[in-house]
Amino acid sequence: QVQLVESGGGLVQAGGSRRLSCAASGRTFSSYAMGWFRQAPGKEREFVTAISSSGGITSYSDSVKGRFTISRDNAKNTVYLQMNSLKPEDTAVYYCAARGGRPLPLINEYHYWGQGTQVTVSS
């Protein structure tokens, strides 16, 4: 089992940057693909980005491609989300999630979830 704790959320101006972290418990972190998802008020949770267990494969939603970067440090049991050129429409609660296997962009394929961290982008 994996427990996930996100941090790094807050208020940021449009055009600014923010880095989110997701710390995982357990000694098997390096065997899990990790994903970031977000949920804006009144909207469904959506895929943002994912990374394979080794970090060699990443994927991004079209809405964040070129602006966000996912990375991981398996020695620190942590996955990161670097967010640049933030827009008001990026405002959401951001969740990290873990799954065994490939880094799929599918919410229902992830078995473990953090509690989320709020990111608010002001215009």
Side-chain angles (χ1 to χ4, degrees), residues 24 26-27 29-30 53-54 72-80:
R27 293 175 291 179
F29 173 76
S30 61
S53 57
S54 67
R72 66 189 296 161
D73 185 338
N74 285 343
K76 295 183 177 179
N77 282 11
T78 302
V79 62
Y80 304 98

Side-chain angles (χ1 to χ4, degrees), residues 5-7 9 12 24 28-30 41 48 52 54 59 72 74-75 79 85-86 92 95 100 103 118 121 123:
V5 179
E6 302 96 335
S7 62
V12 61
T28 58
F29 173 76
S30 61
V48 176
S52 62
S54 67
S59 63
R72 66 189 296 161
N74 285 343
V79 62
S85 302
L86 282 161
Y95 299 88
Q118 175 73 47
V121 184
S123 57

Side-chain angles (χ1 to χ4, degrees), residues 16-18 20 67-68 81-86 94 119:
S17 298
R18 199 82 179 182
L20 305 183
R67 299 188 298 122
F68 289 13
L81 180 62
Q82 178 66 44
M83 305 183 293
N84 298 329
S85 302
L86 282 161
Y94 284 73
V119 174

Side-chain angles (χ1 to χ4, degrees), residues 40-122:
K43 295 187 177 181
E44 294 185 351
R45 194 170 299 187
E46 65 176 5
F47 169 76
V48 176
T49 179
I51 189 168
S52 62
S53 57
S54 67
I57 299 172
T58 59
S59 63
Y60 297 89
S61 68
D62 288 342
S63 61
V64 306
K65 195 173 296 182
R67 299 188 298 122
F68 289 13
T69 302
I70 189 171
S71 62
R72 66 189 296 161
D73 185 338
N74 285 343
K76 295 183 177 179
N77 282 11
T78 302
V79 62
Y80 304 98
L81 180 62
Q82 178 66 44
M83 305 183 293
N84 298 329
S85 302
L86 282 161
K87 306 175 181 179
E89 50 264 44
D90 294 318
T91 295
V93 177
Y94 284 73
Y95 299 88
C96 70
R99 73 179 304 272
R102 295 179 292 162
L104 301 176
L106 303 172
I107 292 172
N108 291 338
E109 293 291 333
Y110 285 79
H111 313 302
Y112 305 105
W113 291 83
Q115 83 289 347
T117 186
Q118 175 73 47
V119 174
T120 302
V121 184
S122 63

